[in-house]
Amino acid sequence: IGGGAAWRPPRSCEDYWGEWKHCRGLRHAFHHYYAHGELPDCGRWREDYEACRAWERDRAAAAQEALCKSERARVMEKQKYAPVWKLRKSPPPDWYLPLDHDKSN
């Protein structure tokens, strides 16, 4: 955590508010339900917005800690999923052949 008055929240408070509004939208809820089989949990965005406002209003250390902890959790969440495709270092040796080269007609 940064020190004192020089520290700023990782995002502006309006960003947290916008993410919360987006998360609660019907289109996003439908997409999230379709993709994940459950409705999105938007509570963290609202909590982060409240903590951000508390930081702006009072420079509360608890709000600062809550925002840092929440952002760290978001980063860790993104990192826990392995890539779907294995990345290649070079193309396959027969990359230039037509796709149906192994079919016998």
Side-chain angles (χ1 to χ4, degrees):
I1 299 175
W7 185 85
R8 292 289 313 143
R11 307 170 192 231
S12 71
C13 295
E14 289 73 27
D15 287 349
Y16 291 115
W17 181 256
E19 289 287 352
W20 179 71
K21 295 273 291 179
H22 170 75
C23 185
R24 291 181 38 107
L26 183 60
R27 187 176 190 161
H28 176 73
F30 180 77
H31 173 74
H32 194 277
Y33 187 80
Y34 178 80
H36 303 285
E38 61 187 17
L39 290 173
D41 179 22
C42 304
R44 191 182 341 164
W45 290 114
R46 179 66 187 223
E47 291 165 9
D48 290 348
Y49 172 73
E50 297 295 336
C52 186
R53 286 296 181 208
W55 167 256
E56 284 185 344
R57 188 176 52 250
D58 307 325
R59 298 289 193 246
Q64 180 182 0
E65 180 62 35
L67 282 172
C68 289
K69 184 177 178 184
S70 181
E71 287 294 332
R72 276 191 220 106
R74 271 193 197 91
V75 169
M76 294 305 289
E77 243 176 62
K78 286 183 180 179
Q79 293 175 349
K80 76 178 180 182
Y81 297 105
V84 174
W85 305 105
K86 184 179 178 201
L87 299 177
R88 297 185 197 157
K89 303 227 184 289
S90 62
D94 58 351
W95 67 269
Y96 57 88
L97 295 175
L99 292 178
D100 59 354
H101 75 281
D102 59 350
K103 290 183 182 176
S104 57
N105 287 342

